[in-house]
Amino acid sequence: MPTFVYMTRCDGCGHCVDICPSDIMHIDDKYRRAYNIEPNMCWECYSCVKACPHQAIDVRGYADFAPLGHSVRTIRDEEKGTIAWRVKFRDGRVKNFLSPITTQPWGTKIPDFRNEAEPSDEMRNSELLAFEPKYIRMDDGGLHTLESNKLSLKAGGEYHESL
Amino acid sequence: MINFDTTPIASLIEAGYTFADMQTYVIVMIALVVLMTIADLLHKGSTTYFFNAAAKAEAQLAAGNADCSVGKEDTRLTQLSAGDKAGILVSTIVTDVATAGEFHNPVRRLVHILTMYGFILFNAATAMIIFGEAETATLATVWNLGAIMLLVGSFWFWFSFKVDGQAEGVAWNSITLRKDMFSLSLMGTSLTALGWSIYGGGTGVWFALVLLSTASLFGGVYWSKFSHMFFKPAAAYNKRIIQANGTNENLPHETRFGGATPEDDDFQKNRHSMELLVDAPMDMGLGIKREAPKHY
């Protein structure tokens, strides 16, 4: 379901370019408007759709699984702290949803991790971390290096465990 | 130095050209703009898109309220009166056309305003001098001021917005003729016009460069983005109309309070998902827009 841009709504601000995790939203050199340079690589995360201040980006579903004539559109209202979705089915039914996207004013509750307490031994030994790789080293050990993790560089840039 | 009391157009008369010659050139340029704009519309299919979108919105209005299985009935579909449409037309002209309100970035907006008014003043003064067959000090001042505004706006655009080394790796001297034709023509027209003015007019190299620049500006409409000045106002008007009549290209209209009716507000307040925001301030400030987009 790749995104596309309504050129008449876009003002070329670049928010979608900044936020796209696949780096496929770009600004057209000629028209100074955004466009999806590689629709096949779009994983329909809707980041750009929600970030666009002009609601200029929409998502076009592939016809093999998204019924023709449907529509899923959204408006993220930052000032009010809400996101609204409007799902229109092919048969004309419409569903409207409204959810909070923040419960505190923006920028006022950014955690300062430097001042956060370190995880306790109990946390480190928790069964919740049972499947984490040992290399994350949730302990008080020294600097994480290839050597301390018994790793070495292999030709071609990959690494492997020294056994 | 630039002499604001005269334009180099008068020097053409001294060189043997007549106002009739110049009028012919201007008429040819206007004809080129008209023909190429029509060709551009046919090629892009812009009119087809607009008429289809308008017909779709009309059909939605005619069908009345949508069948909302979850959420409130869509009561916002309203037929606009002629007065409503006239009001929307005025706000479109004042906000979107006259002051480039589409741009949220203030620098981008300023650049656009400088370029647009520079272009209008420069061309209007040129036409008034040529078709009025007389040059007044006021018209000459407007002509020179327009050229300066166009020069500042077009060069500012090029070096602030077109050049994008950070995101796209586009250097200032990276030129693709088809893509950059409009910007280059605007820069060229203003630069050569001022150069022509500073160096005393006449029919030398500067005059030839002015002819070349204006011919590429008005004669290259089909390949450039010149015609946006005709369809952008129509698009802005249409955007305001569909917002006002509620069709709004299927966009949702729910948000916390501030609804069309008090009942709307009550409905939003009592949505179970809104419990978390009951005590939250009504203005949460800016989120993603706290930082200007820098393309990564």
Side-chain angles (χ1 to χ4, degrees):
Chain A
M1 291 166 69
T3 59
F4 67 96
V5 180
Y6 291 113
M7 297 287 271
T8 50
R9 279 181 174 265
C10 175
D11 81 342
C13 70
H15 276 299
C16 58
V17 182
D18 274 13
I19 208 163
C20 176
S22 298
D23 186 24
I24 53 176
M25 295 305 292
H26 285 230
I27 302 289
D28 182 84
D29 283 350
K30 180 175 172 182
Y31 293 103
R32 304 305 307 168
R33 301 289 183 268
Y35 73 117
N36 186 336
I37 62 162
E38 187 48 82
N40 285 339
M41 299 301 288
C42 177
W43 66 57
E44 71 260 22
C45 70
Y46 270 81
S47 295
C48 58
V49 177
K50 290 184 275 190
C52 179
H54 294 287
Q55 289 80 49
I57 307 178
D58 202 351
V59 175
R60 179 185 289 124
Y62 289 123
D64 55 350
F65 67 94
L68 291 171
H70 85 301
S71 152
V72 179
R73 305 216 63 194
T74 184
I75 288 185
R76 189 169 171 274
D77 187 340
E78 288 194 333
E79 187 191 314
K80 300 276 171 51
T82 60
I83 186 161
W85 292 86
R86 182 178 170 89
V87 183
K88 191 172 178 185
F89 293 88
R90 186 181 185 182
D91 61 7
R93 282 179 302 132
V94 175
K95 292 189 176 188
N96 290 304
F97 302 98
L98 185 70
S99 311
I101 49 173
T102 182
T103 55
Q104 305 286 344
W106 296 101
T108 58
K109 298 288 176 185
I110 298 171
D112 186 355
F113 290 112
R114 285 175 304 182
N115 298 328
E116 293 294 320
E118 290 182 3
S120 64
D121 285 343
E122 190 186 350
M123 289 173 178
R124 291 186 182 113
N125 294 326
S126 162
E127 62 192 20
L128 296 174
L129 295 176
F131 294 102
E132 292 296 326
K134 63 182 179 181
Y135 313 115
I136 65 168
R137 296 230 355 222
M138 294 290 288
D139 53 33
D140 290 326
L143 201 63
H144 293 248
T145 63
L146 289 174
E147 197 178 340
S148 68
N149 282 313
K150 296 185 170 39
L151 297 169
S152 63
L153 279 176
K154 190 180 173 184
E158 295 174 5
Y159 62 83
H160 67 103
E161 195 164 356
S162 306
L163 296 172
Chain B
M1 284 298 291
I2 299 171
N3 185 353
F4 283 90
D5 293 334
T6 60
T7 71
I9 296 172
S11 68
L12 289 179
I13 300 291
E14 292 163 18
Y17 286 96
T18 63
F19 277 114
D21 297 333
M22 294 181 231
Q23 287 165 6
T24 308
Y25 183 75
V26 173
I27 288 167
V28 168
M29 290 298 116
I30 293 170
L32 276 174
V33 169
V34 173
L35 286 173
M36 294 226 166
T37 301
I38 292 169
D40 194 29
L41 284 175
L42 292 174
H43 170 66
K44 284 184 190 151
S46 317
T47 42
T48 314
Y49 168 77
F50 276 118
F51 284 127
N52 285 347
K56 218 170 168 181
E58 280 301 317
Q60 261 182 291
L61 278 178
N65 293 343
D67 172 21
C68 300
S69 56
V70 175
K72 196 168 161 53
E73 286 293 305
D74 194 351
T75 54
R76 301 201 184 186
L77 294 181
T78 47
Q79 291 282 358
L80 299 175
S81 67
D84 295 333
K85 288 181 181 173
I88 289 169
L89 182 64
V90 170
S91 50
T92 305
I93 292 168
V94 171
T95 310
D96 297 302
V97 180
T99 58
E102 127 184 70
F103 297 111
H104 283 188
N105 179 345
V107 180
R108 179 82 180 85
R109 192 173 178 180
L110 178 61
V111 168
H112 193 270
I113 287 172
L114 266 175
T115 313
M116 177 176 74
Y117 283 110
F119 178 84
I120 291 169
L121 292 177
F122 175 72
N123 285 295
T126 305
M128 286 169 83
I129 291 168
I130 290 176
F131 286 95
E133 300 193 0
E135 180 184 300
T136 62
T138 312
L139 281 178
T141 307
V142 171
W143 188 92
N144 283 293
L145 269 180
I148 291 170
M149 285 167 68
L150 187 57
L151 181 88
V152 174
S154 58
F155 274 79
W156 195 350
F157 175 82
W158 184 273
F159 288 101
S160 282
F161 293 96
K162 193 272 176 190
V163 173
D164 189 357
Q166 203 176 10
E168 309 283 355
V170 181
W172 71 271
N173 56 355
S174 161
I175 293 170
T176 311
L177 204 56
R178 284 280 294 272
K179 285 179 178 173
D180 300 326
M181 191 173 182
F182 186 58
S183 301
L184 289 173
S185 300
L186 287 175
M187 290 160 76
T189 301
S190 55
L191 188 68
T192 55
L194 285 173
W196 188 35
S197 176
I198 289 168
Y199 289 99
T203 54
V205 177
W206 284 108
F207 178 56
L209 290 173
V210 168
L211 287 181
L212 184 70
S213 307
T214 49
S216 79
L217 178 63
F218 299 114
V221 172
Y222 181 74
W223 301 278
S224 77
K225 57 173 281 187
F226 187 100
S227 57
H228 80 283
M229 64 182 76
F230 305 118
F231 73 75
K232 286 299 278 186
Y237 174 71
N238 182 54
K239 188 177 166 186
R240 285 175 181 271
I241 287 283
I242 59 175
Q243 269 173 350
N245 69 19
T247 53
N248 209 11
E249 292 174 344
N250 288 328
L251 280 164
H253 47 60
E254 270 77 12
T255 187
R256 286 172 72 199
F257 326 129
T261 61
E263 296 78 41
D264 231 12
D265 289 351
D266 286 340
F267 179 79
Q268 303 299 355
K269 271 185 206 169
N270 294 321
R271 293 177 91 114
H272 77 277
S273 56
M274 286 292 102
E275 286 170 4
L276 290 167
L277 294 182
V278 167
D279 299 322
M282 282 306 290
D283 185 356
M284 295 288 201
L286 294 177
I288 191 174
K289 282 182 269 184
R290 274 179 297 149
E291 281 182 29
K294 296 190 183 85
H295 307 353
Y296 324 141

